[in-house]
Short mmCIF file of all heavy atoms in Angstrom, two decimals:
data_model
loop_
_atom_site.label_atom_id
_atom_site.label_comp_id
_atom_site.label_asym_id
_atom_site.label_seq_id
_atom_site.Cartn_x
_atom_site.Cartn_y
_atom_site.Cartn_z
N LEU W 1 81.51 95.05 90.35
CA LEU W 1 81.36 96.11 89.35
C LEU W 1 80.96 97.41 90.02
O LEU W 1 80.20 97.42 90.98
CB LEU W 1 80.27 95.73 88.34
CG LEU W 1 80.55 94.52 87.45
CD1 LEU W 1 79.31 94.19 86.63
CD2 LEU W 1 81.71 94.79 86.54
N VAL W 2 81.42 98.49 89.45
CA VAL W 2 81.05 99.81 89.92
C VAL W 2 79.68 100.15 89.34
O VAL W 2 79.27 99.60 88.32
CB VAL W 2 82.12 100.83 89.48
CG1 VAL W 2 81.77 102.23 89.94
CG2 VAL W 2 83.48 100.43 89.99
N GLY W 3 78.93 101.07 89.98
CA GLY W 3 77.56 101.40 89.61
C GLY W 3 77.30 101.54 88.12
O GLY W 3 76.40 100.91 87.57
N SER W 4 78.08 102.36 87.42
CA SER W 4 77.82 102.58 85.99
C SER W 4 78.09 101.33 85.16
O SER W 4 77.38 101.05 84.21
CB SER W 4 78.64 103.75 85.46
OG SER W 4 80.02 103.48 85.59
N GLU W 5 79.11 100.55 85.55
CA GLU W 5 79.40 99.30 84.84
C GLU W 5 78.26 98.30 85.03
O GLU W 5 77.87 97.61 84.10
CB GLU W 5 80.71 98.69 85.33
CG GLU W 5 81.94 99.49 84.97
CD GLU W 5 83.19 98.90 85.58
OE1 GLU W 5 83.19 97.69 85.89
OE2 GLU W 5 84.15 99.64 85.74
N MET W 6 77.72 98.25 86.24
CA MET W 6 76.62 97.34 86.51
C MET W 6 75.38 97.76 85.71
O MET W 6 74.70 96.92 85.15
CB MET W 6 76.28 97.34 88.00
CG MET W 6 75.21 96.31 88.37
SD MET W 6 74.79 96.29 90.11
CE MET W 6 76.37 95.96 90.86
N CYS W 7 75.13 99.06 85.64
CA CYS W 7 73.98 99.55 84.88
C CYS W 7 74.11 99.17 83.41
O CYS W 7 73.14 98.71 82.81
CB CYS W 7 73.88 101.06 85.04
SG CYS W 7 72.42 101.77 84.27
N ILE W 8 75.29 99.31 82.84
CA ILE W 8 75.51 98.95 81.43
C ILE W 8 75.32 97.45 81.25
O ILE W 8 74.66 97.01 80.31
CB ILE W 8 76.92 99.39 80.97
CG1 ILE W 8 76.96 100.93 80.89
CG2 ILE W 8 77.28 98.76 79.62
CD1 ILE W 8 78.35 101.49 80.72
N ARG W 9 75.83 96.64 82.17
CA ARG W 9 75.68 95.19 82.08
C ARG W 9 74.22 94.79 82.16
O ARG W 9 73.74 93.96 81.39
CB ARG W 9 76.47 94.52 83.20
CG ARG W 9 76.44 93.00 83.13
CD ARG W 9 76.97 92.37 84.37
NE ARG W 9 75.99 92.61 85.43
CZ ARG W 9 76.18 92.30 86.69
NH1 ARG W 9 77.30 91.77 87.07
NH2 ARG W 9 75.25 92.52 87.59
N ASP W 10 73.48 95.41 83.08
CA ASP W 10 72.06 95.09 83.24
C ASP W 10 71.25 95.51 82.01
O ASP W 10 70.36 94.80 81.58
CB ASP W 10 71.49 95.73 84.50
CG ASP W 10 72.09 95.13 85.76
OD1 ASP W 10 72.67 94.03 85.68
OD2 ASP W 10 71.98 95.76 86.82
N ARG W 11 71.56 96.67 81.45
CA ARG W 11 70.88 97.11 80.23
C ARG W 11 71.14 96.13 79.10
O ARG W 11 70.23 95.78 78.35
CB ARG W 11 71.38 98.50 79.79
CG ARG W 11 70.81 99.63 80.54
CD ARG W 11 71.34 100.91 79.96
NE ARG W 11 70.97 102.03 80.78
CZ ARG W 11 70.61 103.20 80.30
NH1 ARG W 11 70.60 103.41 79.01
NH2 ARG W 11 70.28 104.17 81.11
N THR W 12 72.38 95.69 78.99
CA THR W 12 72.74 94.74 77.94
C THR W 12 71.96 93.44 78.11
O THR W 12 71.42 92.90 77.15
CB THR W 12 74.26 94.46 77.97
OG1 THR W 12 74.95 95.70 77.78
CG2 THR W 12 74.66 93.48 76.89
N TRP W 13 71.88 92.94 79.34
CA TRP W 13 71.15 91.70 79.61
C TRP W 13 69.68 91.85 79.25
O TRP W 13 69.10 90.99 78.60
CB TRP W 13 71.31 91.35 81.09
CG TRP W 13 70.58 90.11 81.47
CD1 TRP W 13 71.03 88.83 81.35
CD2 TRP W 13 69.26 90.02 82.01
NE1 TRP W 13 70.07 87.95 81.80
CE2 TRP W 13 68.97 88.66 82.20
CE3 TRP W 13 68.29 90.95 82.35
CZ2 TRP W 13 67.76 88.23 82.72
CZ3 TRP W 13 67.08 90.52 82.86
CH2 TRP W 13 66.84 89.17 83.04
N LEU W 14 69.06 92.96 79.66
CA LEU W 14 67.64 93.17 79.35
C LEU W 14 67.41 93.32 77.85
O LEU W 14 66.44 92.78 77.31
CB LEU W 14 67.11 94.41 80.09
CG LEU W 14 66.95 94.25 81.59
CD1 LEU W 14 66.62 95.60 82.23
CD2 LEU W 14 65.89 93.23 81.93
N THR W 15 68.30 94.00 77.18
CA THR W 15 68.16 94.17 75.73
C THR W 15 68.30 92.83 75.02
O THR W 15 67.54 92.53 74.10
CB THR W 15 69.22 95.17 75.21
OG1 THR W 15 69.03 96.41 75.90
CG2 THR W 15 69.09 95.39 73.72
N ARG W 16 69.24 92.01 75.44
CA ARG W 16 69.39 90.67 74.85
C ARG W 16 68.15 89.83 75.07
O ARG W 16 67.71 89.10 74.19
CB ARG W 16 70.61 89.97 75.45
CG ARG W 16 71.91 90.48 74.94
CD ARG W 16 73.06 89.73 75.57
NE ARG W 16 74.31 90.28 75.10
CZ ARG W 16 75.49 89.99 75.63
NH1 ARG W 16 75.56 89.14 76.65
NH2 ARG W 16 76.57 90.53 75.16
N MET W 17 67.60 89.91 76.28
CA MET W 17 66.38 89.16 76.57
C MET W 17 65.25 89.59 75.64
O MET W 17 64.52 88.77 75.10
CB MET W 17 65.96 89.36 78.02
CG MET W 17 64.76 88.51 78.40
SD MET W 17 64.10 88.89 80.01
CE MET W 17 63.33 90.46 79.69
N LEU W 18 65.12 90.91 75.42
CA LEU W 18 64.05 91.41 74.56
C LEU W 18 64.28 91.05 73.09
O LEU W 18 63.34 91.00 72.31
CB LEU W 18 63.89 92.92 74.72
CG LEU W 18 63.21 93.34 76.02
CD1 LEU W 18 63.24 94.85 76.18
CD2 LEU W 18 61.78 92.84 76.08
N ASN W 19 65.52 90.81 72.71
CA ASN W 19 65.79 90.34 71.35
C ASN W 19 65.23 88.94 71.14
O ASN W 19 64.86 88.58 70.03
CB ASN W 19 67.29 90.36 71.06
CG ASN W 19 67.82 91.76 70.85
OD1 ASN W 19 67.08 92.67 70.49
ND2 ASN W 19 69.09 91.95 71.09
N VAL W 20 65.17 88.16 72.20
CA VAL W 20 64.62 86.80 72.13
C VAL W 20 63.12 86.81 72.38
O VAL W 20 62.35 86.17 71.68
CB VAL W 20 65.34 85.87 73.13
CG1 VAL W 20 64.71 84.49 73.14
CG2 VAL W 20 66.83 85.78 72.80
N TYR W 21 62.71 87.55 73.41
CA TYR W 21 61.30 87.62 73.81
C TYR W 21 60.81 89.05 73.61
O TYR W 21 60.65 89.81 74.56
CB TYR W 21 61.14 87.21 75.28
CG TYR W 21 61.70 85.86 75.60
CD1 TYR W 21 62.93 85.72 76.24
CD2 TYR W 21 61.02 84.71 75.22
CE1 TYR W 21 63.45 84.47 76.52
CE2 TYR W 21 61.54 83.45 75.50
CZ TYR W 21 62.75 83.35 76.15
OH TYR W 21 63.27 82.10 76.42
N GLU W 22 60.59 89.42 72.36
CA GLU W 22 60.32 90.82 72.03
C GLU W 22 59.01 91.37 72.58
O GLU W 22 58.83 92.57 72.67
CB GLU W 22 60.41 91.06 70.53
CG GLU W 22 59.58 90.11 69.70
CD GLU W 22 59.94 90.16 68.23
OE1 GLU W 22 61.14 90.13 67.92
OE2 GLU W 22 59.02 90.23 67.42
N ASN W 23 58.10 90.50 72.99
CA ASN W 23 56.83 90.97 73.56
C ASN W 23 56.80 90.90 75.08
O ASN W 23 55.74 90.98 75.68
CB ASN W 23 55.66 90.16 72.98
CG ASN W 23 55.50 90.41 71.50
OD1 ASN W 23 55.62 91.53 71.04
ND2 ASN W 23 55.24 89.36 70.75
N ALA W 24 57.96 90.75 75.69
CA ALA W 24 58.03 90.62 77.15
C ALA W 24 57.50 91.88 77.83
O ALA W 24 57.54 92.98 77.26
CB ALA W 24 59.47 90.37 77.58
N ILE W 25 57.02 91.70 79.05
CA ILE W 25 56.57 92.82 79.87
C ILE W 25 57.36 92.77 81.18
O ILE W 25 58.01 91.77 81.49
CB ILE W 25 55.04 92.77 80.14
CG1 ILE W 25 54.61 91.40 80.70
CG2 ILE W 25 54.27 93.04 78.87
CD1 ILE W 25 54.47 91.41 82.16
N TRP W 26 57.31 93.85 81.94
CA TRP W 26 57.98 93.91 83.23
C TRP W 26 56.94 94.20 84.29
O TRP W 26 56.22 95.19 84.21
CB TRP W 26 59.02 95.02 83.21
CG TRP W 26 59.87 95.07 84.45
CD1 TRP W 26 59.60 95.76 85.60
CD2 TRP W 26 61.12 94.43 84.65
NE1 TRP W 26 60.60 95.57 86.51
CE2 TRP W 26 61.55 94.75 85.96
CE3 TRP W 26 61.91 93.59 83.87
CZ2 TRP W 26 62.75 94.28 86.48
CZ3 TRP W 26 63.10 93.13 84.39
CH2 TRP W 26 63.51 93.47 85.68
N LEU W 27 56.84 93.33 85.29
CA LEU W 27 55.95 93.56 86.43
C LEU W 27 56.81 94.14 87.55
O LEU W 27 57.73 93.48 88.04
CB LEU W 27 55.28 92.27 86.87
CG LEU W 27 54.27 91.69 85.88
CD1 LEU W 27 53.80 90.32 86.35
CD2 LEU W 27 53.09 92.62 85.70
N ASN W 28 56.51 95.36 87.94
CA ASN W 28 57.32 96.07 88.92
C ASN W 28 56.66 96.00 90.30
O ASN W 28 55.54 96.47 90.47
CB ASN W 28 57.48 97.52 88.48
CG ASN W 28 58.55 98.24 89.25
OD1 ASN W 28 58.87 97.88 90.37
ND2 ASN W 28 59.10 99.27 88.65
N PRO W 29 57.36 95.45 91.29
CA PRO W 29 56.79 95.36 92.64
C PRO W 29 56.80 96.68 93.41
O PRO W 29 56.13 96.81 94.42
CB PRO W 29 57.68 94.32 93.32
CG PRO W 29 59.00 94.47 92.64
CD PRO W 29 58.66 94.81 91.20
N ILE W 30 57.55 97.66 92.90
CA ILE W 30 57.59 98.97 93.57
C ILE W 30 56.30 99.72 93.25
O ILE W 30 55.88 99.75 92.09
CB ILE W 30 58.82 99.77 93.08
CG1 ILE W 30 60.10 99.02 93.47
CG2 ILE W 30 58.81 101.18 93.65
CD1 ILE W 30 61.35 99.57 92.85
N PRO W 31 55.66 100.32 94.25
CA PRO W 31 54.42 101.07 93.98
C PRO W 31 54.62 102.11 92.88
O PRO W 31 55.64 102.81 92.84
CB PRO W 31 54.11 101.73 95.33
CG PRO W 31 54.74 100.84 96.34
CD PRO W 31 56.00 100.33 95.67
N GLU W 32 53.66 102.19 91.99
CA GLU W 32 53.76 103.04 90.80
C GLU W 32 54.03 104.50 91.14
O GLU W 32 54.70 105.21 90.39
CB GLU W 32 52.47 102.90 89.98
CG GLU W 32 52.58 103.41 88.58
CD GLU W 32 51.39 103.00 87.73
OE1 GLU W 32 50.45 102.34 88.24
OE2 GLU W 32 51.41 103.35 86.54
N ARG W 33 53.56 104.97 92.28
CA ARG W 33 53.75 106.39 92.65
C ARG W 33 55.23 106.74 92.84
O ARG W 33 55.59 107.90 92.83
CB ARG W 33 52.94 106.74 93.89
CG ARG W 33 53.37 106.04 95.14
CD ARG W 33 52.47 106.43 96.32
NE ARG W 33 52.78 105.68 97.51
CZ ARG W 33 52.26 104.50 97.83
NH1 ARG W 33 51.35 103.95 97.06
NH2 ARG W 33 52.62 103.89 98.94
N TYR W 34 56.10 105.74 93.00
CA TYR W 34 57.53 105.98 93.18
C TYR W 34 58.36 105.82 91.90
O TYR W 34 59.55 106.09 91.91
CB TYR W 34 58.10 105.05 94.25
CG TYR W 34 57.47 105.21 95.60
CD1 TYR W 34 56.76 104.17 96.18
CD2 TYR W 34 57.58 106.41 96.31
CE1 TYR W 34 56.17 104.31 97.43
CE2 TYR W 34 56.99 106.56 97.55
CZ TYR W 34 56.29 105.51 98.11
OH TYR W 34 55.71 105.65 99.34
N TRP W 35 57.74 105.36 90.84
CA TRP W 35 58.50 105.03 89.63
C TRP W 35 59.32 106.20 89.09
O TRP W 35 60.44 106.00 88.66
CB TRP W 35 57.57 104.50 88.54
CG TRP W 35 57.02 103.14 88.82
CD1 TRP W 35 57.19 102.37 89.93
CD2 TRP W 35 56.20 102.38 87.95
NE1 TRP W 35 56.53 101.18 89.81
CE2 TRP W 35 55.90 101.15 88.61
CE3 TRP W 35 55.67 102.60 86.70
CZ2 TRP W 35 55.12 100.17 88.02
CZ3 TRP W 35 54.88 101.62 86.13
CH2 TRP W 35 54.61 100.42 86.78
N ASP W 36 58.77 107.39 89.09
CA ASP W 36 59.50 108.54 88.53
C ASP W 36 60.68 108.97 89.40
O ASP W 36 61.55 109.71 88.95
CB ASP W 36 58.56 109.73 88.35
CG ASP W 36 57.52 109.48 87.27
OD1 ASP W 36 57.78 108.67 86.37
OD2 ASP W 36 56.45 110.12 87.32
N ARG W 37 60.74 108.49 90.61
CA ARG W 37 61.80 108.88 91.55
C ARG W 37 62.99 107.93 91.54
O ARG W 37 64.00 108.20 92.18
CB ARG W 37 61.25 108.94 92.97
CG ARG W 37 60.11 109.90 93.13
CD ARG W 37 59.60 109.86 94.54
NE ARG W 37 58.30 110.50 94.61
CZ ARG W 37 57.55 110.52 95.69
NH1 ARG W 37 57.97 109.94 96.78
NH2 ARG W 37 56.39 111.13 95.68
N ILE W 38 62.87 106.81 90.85
CA ILE W 38 63.91 105.78 90.89
C ILE W 38 64.52 105.62 89.50
O ILE W 38 63.83 105.26 88.55
CB ILE W 38 63.32 104.43 91.37
CG1 ILE W 38 62.68 104.62 92.76
CG2 ILE W 38 64.38 103.35 91.39
CD1 ILE W 38 61.86 103.45 93.21
N ALA W 39 65.80 105.92 89.39
CA ALA W 39 66.48 105.91 88.08
C ALA W 39 66.38 104.56 87.39
O ALA W 39 66.10 104.49 86.19
CB ALA W 39 67.93 106.33 88.25
N SER W 40 66.60 103.48 88.12
CA SER W 40 66.59 102.15 87.48
C SER W 40 65.21 101.82 86.93
O SER W 40 65.09 101.17 85.89
CB SER W 40 67.04 101.07 88.46
OG SER W 40 66.18 101.02 89.58
N THR W 41 64.17 102.27 87.60
CA THR W 41 62.81 102.04 87.11
C THR W 41 62.58 102.77 85.80
O THR W 41 61.98 102.23 84.87
CB THR W 41 61.78 102.48 88.18
OG1 THR W 41 62.02 101.72 89.36
CG2 THR W 41 60.37 102.24 87.71
N SER W 42 63.07 104.00 85.70
CA SER W 42 62.94 104.76 84.45
C SER W 42 63.68 104.08 83.31
O SER W 42 63.20 104.03 82.18
CB SER W 42 63.48 106.18 84.63
OG SER W 42 62.72 106.86 85.59
N ILE W 43 64.84 103.53 83.62
CA ILE W 43 65.64 102.84 82.60
C ILE W 43 64.90 101.58 82.12
O ILE W 43 64.80 101.34 80.92
CB ILE W 43 67.03 102.48 83.16
CG1 ILE W 43 67.84 103.75 83.38
CG2 ILE W 43 67.76 101.51 82.23
CD1 ILE W 43 69.09 103.55 84.21
N ILE W 44 64.37 100.81 83.05
CA ILE W 44 63.64 99.59 82.68
C ILE W 44 62.41 99.94 81.86
O ILE W 44 62.12 99.29 80.85
CB ILE W 44 63.27 98.77 83.93
CG1 ILE W 44 64.54 98.21 84.57
CG2 ILE W 44 62.30 97.65 83.58
CD1 ILE W 44 64.34 97.61 85.94
N LYS W 45 61.70 100.98 82.27
CA LYS W 45 60.51 101.40 81.53
C LYS W 45 60.87 101.78 80.10
O LYS W 45 60.17 101.43 79.15
CB LYS W 45 59.84 102.58 82.24
CG LYS W 45 58.49 102.94 81.68
CD LYS W 45 57.83 104.00 82.52
CE LYS W 45 56.46 104.34 81.96
NZ LYS W 45 55.82 105.41 82.75
N GLN W 46 61.99 102.45 79.93
CA GLN W 46 62.46 102.84 78.60
C GLN W 46 62.84 101.60 77.79
O GLN W 46 62.45 101.46 76.62
CB GLN W 46 63.66 103.77 78.72
CG GLN W 46 64.24 104.20 77.40
CD GLN W 46 65.50 105.02 77.58
OE1 GLN W 46 66.13 105.02 78.64
NE2 GLN W 46 65.88 105.72 76.54
N ILE W 47 63.60 100.69 78.38
CA ILE W 47 64.03 99.48 77.67
C ILE W 47 62.82 98.65 77.23
O ILE W 47 62.80 98.12 76.13
CB ILE W 47 64.97 98.65 78.56
CG1 ILE W 47 66.30 99.39 78.75
CG2 ILE W 47 65.20 97.26 77.98
CD1 ILE W 47 67.21 98.79 79.79
N PHE W 48 61.81 98.57 78.08
CA PHE W 48 60.63 97.77 77.77
C PHE W 48 59.57 98.56 76.99
O PHE W 48 58.44 98.09 76.85
CB PHE W 48 60.02 97.20 79.06
CG PHE W 48 60.68 95.93 79.50
CD1 PHE W 48 61.86 95.97 80.21
CD2 PHE W 48 60.13 94.70 79.20
CE1 PHE W 48 62.49 94.80 80.61
CE2 PHE W 48 60.75 93.53 79.59
CZ PHE W 48 61.94 93.58 80.30
N SER W 49 59.94 99.71 76.47
CA SER W 49 59.03 100.52 75.64
C SER W 49 57.68 100.72 76.33
O SER W 49 56.63 100.51 75.74
CB SER W 49 58.83 99.88 74.27
OG SER W 49 60.05 99.73 73.61
N ASP W 50 57.74 101.12 77.59
CA ASP W 50 56.53 101.39 78.38
C ASP W 50 55.66 100.16 78.60
O ASP W 50 54.48 100.28 78.86
CB ASP W 50 55.71 102.54 77.77
CG ASP W 50 56.44 103.86 77.87
OD1 ASP W 50 57.10 104.09 78.90
OD2 ASP W 50 56.34 104.67 76.94
N ARG W 51 56.23 98.97 78.50
CA ARG W 51 55.49 97.74 78.82
C ARG W 51 55.84 97.29 80.24
O ARG W 51 56.14 96.14 80.49
CB ARG W 51 55.80 96.65 77.79
CG ARG W 51 55.23 96.95 76.42
CD ARG W 51 55.37 95.77 75.46
NE ARG W 51 56.66 95.09 75.53
CZ ARG W 51 57.73 95.38 74.80
NH1 ARG W 51 57.68 96.36 73.91
NH2 ARG W 51 58.84 94.68 74.93
N MET W 52 55.82 98.26 81.16
CA MET W 52 56.06 97.98 82.57
C MET W 52 54.75 98.22 83.31
O MET W 52 54.10 99.24 83.10
CB MET W 52 57.15 98.88 83.13
CG MET W 52 57.49 98.59 84.57
SD MET W 52 58.97 99.44 85.14
CE MET W 52 58.43 101.13 85.15
N PHE W 53 54.40 97.29 84.16
CA PHE W 53 53.12 97.35 84.86
C PHE W 53 53.34 97.10 86.34
O PHE W 53 54.26 96.38 86.73
CB PHE W 53 52.16 96.30 84.29
CG PHE W 53 51.92 96.45 82.83
CD1 PHE W 53 52.71 95.77 81.91
CD2 PHE W 53 50.93 97.29 82.35
CE1 PHE W 53 52.51 95.92 80.54
CE2 PHE W 53 50.72 97.45 80.99
CZ PHE W 53 51.51 96.76 80.09
N PRO W 54 52.47 97.66 87.19
CA PRO W 54 52.61 97.41 88.62
C PRO W 54 52.24 95.96 88.96
O PRO W 54 51.39 95.37 88.30
CB PRO W 54 51.63 98.40 89.25
CG PRO W 54 50.65 98.73 88.19
CD PRO W 54 51.38 98.58 86.88
N LEU W 55 52.89 95.43 89.97
CA LEU W 55 52.61 94.07 90.41
C LEU W 55 51.41 94.11 91.36
O LEU W 55 51.51 93.97 92.57
CB LEU W 55 53.83 93.46 91.09
CG LEU W 55 53.74 91.99 91.49
CD1 LEU W 55 53.37 91.12 90.29
CD2 LEU W 55 55.04 91.53 92.10
N THR W 56 50.26 94.36 90.74
CA THR W 56 48.97 94.39 91.44
C THR W 56 48.00 93.59 90.58
O THR W 56 48.32 93.24 89.43
CB THR W 56 48.44 95.83 91.57
OG1 THR W 56 48.24 96.37 90.24
CG2 THR W 56 49.39 96.72 92.35
N ILE W 57 46.83 93.32 91.10
CA ILE W 57 45.82 92.61 90.31
C ILE W 57 45.52 93.40 89.04
O ILE W 57 45.48 92.83 87.94
CB ILE W 57 44.52 92.39 91.13
CG1 ILE W 57 44.80 91.53 92.36
CG2 ILE W 57 43.43 91.78 90.27
CD1 ILE W 57 45.27 90.13 92.08
N GLU W 58 45.33 94.71 89.17
CA GLU W 58 45.03 95.54 88.00
C GLU W 58 46.20 95.58 87.03
O GLU W 58 46.03 95.53 85.81
CB GLU W 58 44.66 96.96 88.43
CG GLU W 58 43.39 97.06 89.23
CD GLU W 58 43.60 96.74 90.72
OE1 GLU W 58 44.76 96.73 91.19
OE2 GLU W 58 42.60 96.46 91.39
N GLY W 59 47.43 95.67 87.58
CA GLY W 59 48.62 95.71 86.73
C GLY W 59 48.81 94.42 85.96
O GLY W 59 49.18 94.42 84.78
N ILE W 60 48.57 93.29 86.62
CA ILE W 60 48.68 91.99 85.95
C ILE W 60 47.62 91.89 84.86
O ILE W 60 47.89 91.40 83.76
CB ILE W 60 48.57 90.84 86.96
CG1 ILE W 60 49.79 90.86 87.89
CG2 ILE W 60 48.44 89.50 86.26
CD1 ILE W 60 49.68 89.94 89.08
N ASP W 61 46.43 92.38 85.12
CA ASP W 61 45.36 92.39 84.12
C ASP W 61 45.77 93.22 82.90
O ASP W 61 45.62 92.79 81.76
CB ASP W 61 44.07 92.93 84.73
CG ASP W 61 42.89 92.84 83.78
OD1 ASP W 61 42.62 91.72 83.28
OD2 ASP W 61 42.25 93.88 83.53
N GLN W 62 46.32 94.41 83.15
CA GLN W 62 46.80 95.26 82.04
C GLN W 62 47.91 94.57 81.27
O GLN W 62 47.95 94.62 80.02
CB GLN W 62 47.31 96.59 82.58
CG GLN W 62 46.25 97.49 83.15
CD GLN W 62 46.87 98.70 83.86
OE1 GLN W 62 48.07 98.74 84.11
NE2 GLN W 62 46.02 99.67 84.17
N ALA W 63 48.82 93.93 81.98
CA ALA W 63 49.95 93.24 81.34
C ALA W 63 49.44 92.09 80.45
O ALA W 63 49.93 91.92 79.33
CB ALA W 63 50.91 92.71 82.39
N MET W 64 48.48 91.35 80.94
CA MET W 64 47.93 90.24 80.15
C MET W 64 47.23 90.76 78.89
O MET W 64 47.34 90.17 77.82
CB MET W 64 46.95 89.41 80.97
CG MET W 64 47.59 88.63 82.11
SD MET W 64 48.87 87.47 81.56
CE MET W 64 50.35 88.38 81.92
N ARG W 65 46.55 91.89 79.01
CA ARG W 65 45.93 92.50 77.81
C ARG W 65 46.99 92.91 76.80
O ARG W 65 46.82 92.73 75.60
CB ARG W 65 45.07 93.69 78.20
CG ARG W 65 43.77 93.30 78.82
CD ARG W 65 42.84 94.48 78.97
NE ARG W 65 42.12 94.32 80.20
CZ ARG W 65 41.71 95.29 80.98
NH1 ARG W 65 41.94 96.52 80.65
NH2 ARG W 65 41.07 95.03 82.09
N GLU W 66 48.09 93.46 77.30
CA GLU W 66 49.19 93.85 76.40
C GLU W 66 49.77 92.63 75.71
O GLU W 66 50.04 92.66 74.51
CB GLU W 66 50.27 94.57 77.22
CG GLU W 66 51.48 94.97 76.42
CD GLU W 66 51.21 96.06 75.38
OE1 GLU W 66 50.30 96.88 75.58
OE2 GLU W 66 51.93 96.07 74.36
N LEU W 67 49.96 91.55 76.44
CA LEU W 67 50.52 90.33 75.85
C LEU W 67 49.58 89.69 74.84
O LEU W 67 50.03 89.00 73.93
CB LEU W 67 50.89 89.34 76.95
CG LEU W 67 52.08 89.73 77.81
CD1 LEU W 67 52.21 88.77 78.99
CD2 LEU W 67 53.36 89.76 77.01
N ASN W 68 48.28 89.90 74.99
CA ASN W 68 47.30 89.30 74.08
C ASN W 68 47.08 90.11 72.82
O ASN W 68 46.31 89.68 71.96
CB ASN W 68 45.97 89.08 74.80
CG ASN W 68 46.02 87.89 75.71
OD1 ASN W 68 46.63 86.88 75.39
ND2 ASN W 68 45.42 88.02 76.87
N LYS W 69 47.73 91.24 72.68
CA LYS W 69 47.56 92.06 71.47
C LYS W 69 48.13 91.37 70.26
O LYS W 69 49.09 90.66 70.30
CB LYS W 69 48.24 93.43 71.63
CG LYS W 69 47.47 94.36 72.52
CD LYS W 69 48.17 95.69 72.54
CE LYS W 69 47.43 96.68 73.41
NZ LYS W 69 48.14 97.96 73.48
#
């Protein structure tokens, strides 16, 4: 697949997953300071309605609090 086709396919997959698991969160292994510089990270953050957290001890703690709401 070409870049834009892959992006559409990935968005579709993530949206379908959220239709089943609507409270899902995303743990991002990329350091948070780089998130605004990476297009795919911005897209994932948008799809997950800002339920994206860094893959750190603090990020996992925040994610667990979000899931417990």
Side-chain angles (χ1 to χ4, degrees):
L1 294 173
V2 180
S4 61
E5 292 176 23
M6 185 180 302
C7 185
I8 290 169
R9 184 192 70 186
D10 293 343
R11 281 183 188 219
T12 301
W13 179 85
L14 289 172
T15 302
R16 285 180 182 168
M17 184 188 73
L18 286 173
N19 286 336
V20 175
Y21 304 103
E22 52 193 46
N23 295 319
I25 53 98
W26 186 271
L27 292 173
N28 193 335
I30 298 170
E32 196 168 2
R33 66 182 175 271
Y34 299 117
W35 289 4
D36 292 335
R37 301 178 195 174
I38 303 170
S40 60
T41 301
S42 298
I43 292 167
I44 292 169
K45 190 174 181 182
Q46 179 185 17
I47 291 170
F48 276 81
S49 302
D50 292 323
R51 291 188 318 269
M52 183 170 69
F53 302 92
L55 186 55
T56 61
I57 298 296
E58 295 82 15
I60 293 170
D61 185 55
Q62 292 171 348
M64 292 301 101
R65 285 191 216 147
E66 177 67 29
L67 290 171
N68 283 322
K69 285 184 179 178

